[in-house]
Amino acid sequence: MELSAINDEQVEMLISDLLEQYGYDFTGYSRASLKRRISRLYSLDKALSFAEFRYRIYSDQAYFKRFVEQITVNVTEMFRDPVFFKTLRDVVLPKLGTYPFIRIWLAGCSTGEEAYSISIILKELNLLHKSLIYATDLNPAVLEKAAHGMFAMSQMKQYSENYILSGGTQDFSTYYTANYSLAKFDEELKQKIIFSTHNLVSDHSFNEFQLILCRNVLIYFERELQHNVLDLFDESLEDLGYLALGTKETVDFSRIANRYKRLPGHKIWRKVGHENM
Amino acid sequence: MKTCEAFIIGGSAGSLEVLLRVLSEVRSDLSFPIIIVVHRKHGADSLLPNLLASRTSLIVKEVDEKEKINAGTVYVAPSDYHLLIEQDRTFSLDYSEKINYSRPAIDATFQTAAEVYKKKLVCLLLSGSNADGVNGLKSVKAWGGQAVIQDPASAQVAYMPAQAKLHVEIDRILGIEDIAEFINLLSNQSYHE
Ligand SMILES: C[S@@+](CC[C@H](N)C(=O)[O-])C[C@H]1O[C@@H](n2cnc3c(N)ncnc32)[C@H](O)[C@@H]1O
C-alpha cells in the first residue's frame, strides 16, 4: 500500500454520508487512523471504485454495519497493562468494596476481555455478588462476541502471565474450560456483566457509577470530542468515584481536570468534587 | 530545492547504539523534528527517552497523543502503540493489530508521515531483523520524500536495511559515522533533489 486507496476528501465524504444516512457521527475522530482503516477495508473487500464503495455503504445496511465494525479498532487483551489491574485490585476496588453496591461502567469494552478481567478480580476480592459491570461499545458485533465469553486458546498463556503480574494468585486455567481452539470462561463471571450498545459521541449518561473505565478509546478522538466524552463521564460518576483511562490518555487539559485528583503514577483519577483543589 | 520538515528514524535490533551515536552528534538547533520509532519491549517506557536524552541537548520526549509536533525536538514512539501523523502536524496513537509482528510499526509512521509531509520528509531505516519499514519507505518515495538507509554492511543486523535496498529506490546509503552529518546538513537549508 504505497499510496492509500482512499484520499482525504473521500474520507470526508464517507464521514458525512454516515452522519446523514445513518446518524453515526465520526466527524470528531482522528483522521489518520480512520483513513488507514477505510483504505484497508477498501482493499480487503476489493472494491471496484470509490463510487461503488461509497454507494454500497450508503445503500446497504448490512455493509454499513461491516464498515463501522472495520473502521473502528477492536483490539484488546485480558489484563492488558498488568500494573493497572494490580492497582484496581489493591487500591480502587477495595475502596469501593466498602459501598453496599458497586456500579462499574466499562466504555468501549470491545470483545469483552477487560470486562472478564475485572469480573475475575471482583470475584477474588469477594465483591462480585454486589457488583454490576455495564460494558458498552458502539459495535453490536463485538458485544455479541463479548457475551459469548470465548477467547482464543492460543492467548491463554499470555493472559495467564498478565493475570499473575496483576496480582492474581489462582491457577488462571480454573476460570475457563478448553473447547478446541477456544477457552470458554465461566458463566459465573458474566452474570454481573451487562453488555449493551452505547455510542460515546451521541448517547447520554444512563446511570451513576463509582468506577468508569474507558481505555484506548479516546486516542481515536480529536481533542474536542475527547473533552465532550470526559464531560459525559463526569456527569456519570459519583463524587469520590474513580475514572480510569488508557496508558497514554489523560484528563489533563480538559474541562473536568480541576475536579479530579490523580493516583500518583497511574492513569486513574478520583473525583474529588468542586470545592477541593 | 526543498526543505526538510520532518526526519523520521526507524530501527530494530542493533539500532540503539547507532541512535545514541547519532544523537550525540546532531546539532542542537535543528530546524525540524526527529521522530524515532524503534521496536522495543512493552513496559520500560521512560528508559529509552531518558537514555537518548543523556546524549543530546535537544529536548527528547516520549510522544503524548494529540501532541503538536515541534521543530528541534526528538520524539520517541511509546511502546505498544502505533504512532500516526495527522495532517495538522500532530501525533495520534493507535492500538490496532501488530504489523510485521511489531507495535509500534515503522511502516505505520512512515506511511502516515509520507502523506502529510510529502516532499519534505526524510526517513531513515536502521539495523533490524525484520522487514518493517520497507513498505513505509515505498510510500515515502511515492509521495516524493527521501528514503535513506544505514549501510547494511555497517548494521549489526543487516536484514532490515538490506530488504529496503532490495525493494525501494534508496536515495542515500549512509555509514554510521555519516548519519549525524547528513541530518545536520538538512537543517535550516534547502537541499537539491
Ligand atoms: C482499541 S478498543 C479498546 C478496548 C479495550 N478498552 C482495551 O483497552 O483493551 C476501542 C473500542 O472503542 C470502541 N469505540 C469506538 N468509538 C466508540 C464510540 N463512539 N462509542 C463507544 N465505543 C466506541 C470500538 O468499537 C472498540 O471496541
Side-chain angles (χ1 to χ4, degrees):
Chain A
M1 189 179 57
E2 277 123 74
L3 292 167
S4 297
I6 298 287
N7 66 35
D8 295 335
E9 294 80 69
Q10 292 168 334
V11 170
E12 298 311 314
M13 284 185 220
L14 295 175
I15 289 175
S16 63
D17 286 356
L18 291 180
L19 185 57
E20 186 185 309
Q21 177 74 350
Y22 297 103
Y24 272 64
D25 186 356
F26 285 94
T27 55
Y29 281 57
S30 295
R31 295 300 195 267
S33 166
L34 271 188
K35 187 177 177 187
R36 282 174 70 76
R37 304 296 293 181
I38 296 173
S39 293
R40 175 178 161 276
L41 182 65
Y42 185 91
S43 309
L44 202 67
D45 288 356
K46 305 194 168 59
L48 296 172
S49 67
F50 177 71
E52 184 244 15
F53 185 59
R54 183 181 181 190
Y55 182 74
R56 196 164 171 207
I57 300 161
Y58 196 85
S59 58
D60 176 347
Q61 176 92 22
Y63 193 69
F64 154 74
K65 276 197 185 139
R66 170 172 170 77
F67 182 79
V68 172
E69 253 166 69
Q70 292 291 321
I71 64 170
T72 50
V73 170
N74 302 313
V75 175
T76 183
E77 265 178 39
M78 288 187 85
F79 297 99
R80 176 177 187 212
D81 307 318
V83 178
F84 169 78
F85 283 94
K86 189 163 176 20
T87 314
L88 282 190
R89 179 192 289 270
D90 294 345
V91 181
V92 176
L93 292 173
K95 247 308 183 314
L96 299 181
T98 60
Y99 291 55
F101 197 73
I102 309 173
R103 277 186 312 275
I104 299 173
W105 179 15
L106 180 57
C109 68
S110 192
T111 41
E113 283 83 340
E114 265 178 333
Y116 288 91
S117 306
I118 294 167
S119 197
I120 286 173
I121 298 177
L122 286 168
K123 180 174 147 71
E124 292 182 3
L125 294 175
N126 242 327
L127 297 173
L128 188 57
H129 64 281
K130 61 168 181 172
S131 303
L132 204 49
I133 304 171
Y134 292 78
T136 63
D137 201 280
L138 161 86
N139 278 319
V142 292
L143 293 168
E144 219 169 276
K145 180 150 192 276
H148 285 126
M150 293 199 270
F151 305 116
M153 228 12 234
S154 56
Q155 297 278 10
M156 290 306 131
K157 185 169 171 286
Q158 171 75 50
Y159 291 174
S160 165
E161 284 167 20
N162 287 357
Y163 163 78
I164 288 164
L165 287 171
S166 78
T169 54
Q170 307 294 307
D171 176 355
F172 187 66
S173 66
T174 59
Y175 288 114
Y176 60 84
T177 38
N179 194 341
Y180 299 98
S181 61
L182 292 175
K184 172 140 188 48
F185 278 76
D186 290 350
E187 288 294 320
E188 187 195 354
L189 295 173
K190 72 175 179 210
Q191 265 166 14
K192 299 293 184 176
I193 310 177
I194 296 172
F195 290 107
S196 153
T197 53
H198 181 281
N199 187 339
L200 291 167
V201 178
S202 48
D203 291 335
H204 297 284
S205 175
F206 58 96
N207 211 328
E208 274 224 322
F209 301 92
Q210 286 102 23
L211 169 61
I212 298 177
L213 305 100
C214 182
R215 303 170 71 227
N216 303 306
V217 182
L218 296 181
I219 48 173
Y220 295 102
F221 299 167
E222 289 174 346
R223 274 267 189 266
E224 195 186 319
L225 178 55
Q226 290 181 347
H227 292 174
N228 293 345
V229 173
L230 288 172
D231 286 344
L232 171 69
F233 291 152
D234 185 47
E235 270 171 54
S236 313
L237 193 65
E238 277 186 19
D239 276 341
L240 300 180
Y242 293 90
L243 174 62
L245 303 179
T247 318
K248 297 302 292 179
E249 295 158 335
T250 182
V251 307
D252 293 350
F253 319 116
S254 73
R255 290 180 287 266
I256 68 168
N258 65 348
R259 299 198 287 284
Y260 283 75
K261 199 172 145 85
R262 187 168 167 191
L263 264 60
H266 300 284
K267 289 300 173 112
I268 303 175
W269 285 262
R270 191 160 201 207
K271 185 173 182 174
V272 290
H274 303 251
E275 310 83 49
N276 291 329
M277 310 192 40
Chain B
M1 296 275 263
K2 48 192 177 180
T3 48
C4 174
E5 205 184 327
F7 192 94
I8 310 185
I9 306 177
S12 189
S15 65
L16 182 61
E17 281 165 42
V18 185
L19 283 170
L20 290 172
R21 162 136 190 213
V22 169
L23 281 188
S24 69
E25 295 169 2
V26 160
R27 54 194 274 184
S28 57
D29 59 347
L30 272 191
S31 56
F32 46 80
I34 295 181
I35 301 165
I36 297 175
V37 182
V38 288
H39 300 153
R40 53 183 166 141
K41 262 208 127 62
H42 183 27
D45 256 2
S46 57
L47 289 179
L48 182 63
N50 287 346
L51 185 59
L52 295 175
S54 69
R55 300 303 169 97
T56 170
S57 57
L58 290 164
I59 299 168
V60 182
K61 67 182 301 288
E62 187 171 285
V63 168
D64 285 318
E65 66 103 27
K66 302 286 135 57
E67 177 169 11
K68 182 124 199 62
I69 304 172
N70 290 319
T73 305
V74 179
Y75 295 97
V76 182
S79 64
D80 215 24
Y81 290 90
H82 296 306
L83 178 65
L84 312 182
I85 314 286
E86 300 285 342
Q87 286 293 350
D88 65 356
R89 273 80 169 153
T90 56
F91 289 110
S92 63
L93 299 176
D94 168 28
Y95 186 56
S96 59
E97 297 80 0
K98 291 183 177 175
I99 304 169
N100 313 310
Y101 310 100
S102 312
R103 193 172 49 220
I106 300 164
D107 276 344
T109 310
F110 281 5
Q111 280 164 351
T112 51
E115 300 183 18
V116 171
Y117 296 113
K118 304 191 175 86
K119 291 184 174 155
K120 298 181 172 183
L121 175 67
V122 184
C123 287
L124 164 67
L125 199 59
L126 300 177
S127 168
S129 59
N130 77 17
D132 191 20
V134 175
N135 284 329
L137 284 184
K138 286 185 195 163
S139 301
V140 172
K141 292 299 294 179
W143 286 93
Q146 274 202 65
V148 183
I149 57 170
Q150 175 182 359
D151 184 352
S154 78
Q156 246 180 57
V157 188
Y159 189 80
M160 203 154 83
Q163 282 295 306
K165 196 173 159 189
L166 202 61
H167 297 289
V168 188
E169 189 196 319
I170 300 296
D171 295 287
R172 290 289 296 271
I173 299 177
L174 298 170
I176 296 173
E177 62 287 347
D178 301 321
I179 296 173
E181 191 189 312
F182 176 78
I183 297 174
N184 289 337
L185 285 173
L186 287 175
S187 184
N188 247 332
Q189 65 169 43
S190 307
Y191 59 86
H192 292 278
E193 286 184 38

